[in-house]
Amino acid sequence: MSLSIDFEPVQRELRARDACAFVHVGRESDPTLRYLARTAQLDGELAVVVTADQALLLAPEAPDAATEAYPDAQVLPAGEAIPTGTRVATVLDDLGLSGTVLTPQTIPHDAALYLENDGFEVASTAVVETARERKTDAEQLRQTTVQSAACAGMRRVSEVLAEAEPGDLTEEGHGHGHSHSHSGDGTGESHDHDHDHDHDHDGPLVWNDAPLTALRLRREANAALAAEGVHPGTTAIGVAGRTATPRSDDPIEPGDTVVVDLAPHGPDGYHGRLVRTFVVDGDGGWTRRAQLAAETALDAALGELEPGITVGEVLLELEAEVAAYGFDGDDGAAYGVGLERREAPLLGELDDDDELDSGTVLALDATVSDADEGTVRLADLVAITEDGGRALGAFPRSLAP
């Protein structure tokens, strides 16, 4: 299925602002450039020029190769020794254009200077950022594929946690799993001196004869993602309420909440997003109630999604359901996912009465935290369609791995 871009929104912006061209310069990894060029196959600095009646790609590779990768526009060689900004200005001169050139705010400063020095007035526009908010069917298909890979990565995390056993921190038994309980003071209760809450265990979980840590778990998740043909991107694992980061290496103990945040992307740059929370040998209670609150919030928000829904309505569903279980609902979030792991629309930065269109792909993200109990967080990737909200992939939300 083609990822062909519709340049009409850009061309409408040119007409509305009486501008002669839209220009962006960047490398293949730049999300805006990647969206416009629709390719992950070209290396080096590229430029896209859109005029009232055509689109051009300036590529450093042979035009034949670039044309095959980029069927939507005329392809011109960028010129190895000529700065791309100069090449763009020359192309605009060759087309007989003058006046205002629109660019994204992210265009390199030197490229803008080349245009200004050649007599063009440079003005910024968010037209491409706005266009990226609505994903085509082809874009959604790619995100669904990546989300399937995210589910495979999460499945591997669940398997490792299910195989792990409580560890023994005594000198004789350090690093080995055990099946008996240990009494710390003769009262029949064990004590955890590293956490604010107590669990019946003697140390970190053990997996493959070594303590299980966030780092080891992250490596297993990333290996599973790579096996699915996607880039792991940013995998973050938070233990017992501590912040999930890509470098966390906290030991995981029975009863700890383990928040697994996956944001892989495919070879064409489109991201998935999946967050789940697991607890090994949990005692229910707070974590179970928190999980129900987060799950209910996601389902409620998904059920209300439709073209024209306002930002305030989405956030209200996420917050109200969490609050209904007696928790603080202010940690609910929703944000766009696409060529960036977080991109527009960022609902927390918009007005409550701003509306969302069909084609918008969001991560719905619900979090419940407690200083003593830990953190329970769930996030799913969903799309707004003409028929309502649709989940792009599915993975169980159970706390038990």
Side-chain angles (χ1 to χ4, degrees), residues 259-275:
V259 177
V260 183
D261 183 345
L262 304 181
H265 61 81
D268 45 19
Y270 284 90
H271 284 73
R273 196 63 184 268
L274 183 65
V275 181

Side-chain angles (χ1 to χ4, degrees), residues 63 70 84 283:
Y70 189 57
T84 304
D283 55 7

Side-chain angles (χ1 to χ4, degrees), residues 218-385:
R218 184 168 65 253
R219 286 172 174 168
E220 291 296 317
N222 287 347
L225 292 170
E228 293 292 318
V230 302
H231 191 286
T234 304
T235 297
I237 296 178
V239 179
R242 291 183 285 276
T243 302
T245 74
R247 298 184 178 180
S248 300
D249 194 23
D250 298 313
I252 301 171
E253 303 191 9
D256 283 344
T257 55
V258 181
V259 177
V260 183
D261 183 345
L262 304 181
H265 61 81
D268 45 19
Y270 284 90
H271 284 73
R273 196 63 184 268
L274 183 65
V275 181
R276 290 292 183 266
T277 301
F278 301 102
V279 180
V280 177
D281 289 345
D283 55 7
W286 183 90
T287 53
R288 175 57 179 159
R289 190 161 53 90
Q291 187 272 344
L292 285 173
E295 182 174 26
T296 302
L298 294 188
D299 286 340
L302 177 61
E304 293 298 317
L305 292 182
E306 62 181 5
I309 190 172
T310 66
V311 167
E313 289 171 333
V314 176
L315 295 179
L316 179 61
E317 290 295 335
L318 289 172
E319 296 167 1
E321 294 298 334
V322 171
Y325 280 82
F327 301 112
D328 182 357
D330 292 340
D331 290 333
Y335 43 88
V337 177
L339 288 169
E340 298 176 88
R341 60 193 298 266
R342 278 179 181 253
E343 64 180 33
L346 302 172
L347 274 61
E349 300 177 5
L350 301 177
D351 294 333
D352 283 350
D353 57 357
D354 286 344
E355 296 184 353
L356 302 175
D357 295 326
S358 176
T360 303
V361 174
L362 299 170
L364 299 177
D365 199 324
T367 301
V368 179
S369 296
D370 183 272
D372 295 329
E373 300 291 349
T375 297
V376 171
R377 182 176 165 219
L378 302 174
D380 285 326
L381 194 67
V382 303
I384 300 177
T385 75

